[in-house]
Amino acid sequence: MLDPALTTEESMEEVLMLAETLAGYAGAWLDQSPNPLNNAPLGEDDDENLRIELSMNDPELLIINVKTTGDVARTESALRDRWGGMLCVSAAERSESELRGIVEKITAERSDLLSSWPDTTTSTIHVEVIFDNGSIQQDLDERYGVGAVQVSSALLAWP
């Protein structure tokens, strides 16, 4: 921890909101793995379970992860002004708004779409369709780049 005064719930919320306003914002999430209670089993005691759940977002025991298509060092510096805890800023291939734009285009074009969503942790889009014999994946690879869109088919081809 760099600055305990800036490692609070309020500063965590503030830095996450700030991250969304920065150029190239591509997503943010909290990593709770440093918390020793991360793998604590929940039992029958509701009070103890609640204590464990509430402690999982202890600002001193989590990592704020932010992805950006912009300058990583500049983004980290801007966030450091407001966050004193663990922070990981990494480069992304696509911004969150680019991912959402691709989802909107695919949603408007496909009548066989079951669901679609952006995954900001991987800078990809997930698309579920009724059936894909490979042609939908190929088309989306050609349009958006190989790996940008992951297509899954609810029905599988019979051998």
Side-chain angles (χ1 to χ4, degrees):
M1 183 173 3
L2 299 176
D3 184 350
L6 290 177
T7 310
T8 65
E9 283 189 44
E10 293 78 20
S11 58
M12 178 177 61
E13 290 174 19
E14 190 176 308
V15 80
L16 288 169
M17 286 190 295
L18 171 63
E20 289 183 28
T21 68
L22 298 176
Y25 174 75
W29 66 95
L30 303 177
D31 176 355
Q32 299 169 324
S33 64
N35 192 315
L37 294 175
N38 186 39
N39 293 316
L42 297 179
E44 306 235 349
D45 183 346
D46 289 341
D47 290 336
E48 179 62 10
N49 291 342
L50 181 60
R51 185 190 71 75
I52 290 171
E53 288 177 25
L54 292 174
S55 71
M56 288 310 299
N57 285 330
D58 180 342
E60 295 181 7
L61 298 173
L62 57 76
I63 304 168
I64 293 180
N65 291 271
V66 176
K67 290 188 91 170
T68 182
T69 59
D71 184 294
V72 171
R74 185 174 297 136
T75 299
E76 183 171 357
S77 178
L79 299 175
R80 268 289 159 225
D81 288 342
R82 301 208 184 147
W83 177 247
M86 293 180 271
L87 175 66
C88 178
V89 178
S90 58
E93 218 176 300
R94 294 167 201 84
S95 71
E96 184 181 57
S97 65
E98 286 177 88
L99 291 173
R100 292 193 187 285
I102 293 170
V103 167
E104 286 175 16
K105 285 180 187 173
I106 294 170
T107 301
E109 296 167 354
R110 301 224 53 96
S111 62
D112 60 345
L113 192 69
L114 296 173
S115 65
S116 61
W117 66 94
D119 181 347
T120 57
T121 62
T122 61
S123 294
T124 60
I125 293 107
H126 294 271
V127 171
E128 263 184 349
V129 295
I130 296 170
F131 178 72
D132 180 23
N133 63 1
S135 62
I136 297 171
Q137 182 69 68
Q138 183 178 358
D139 174 56
L140 295 174
D141 284 349
E142 289 170 4
R143 290 172 53 199
Y144 301 109
V146 174
V149 180
Q150 305 296 316
V151 177
S152 63
S153 181
L155 300 174
L156 302 176
W158 188 259

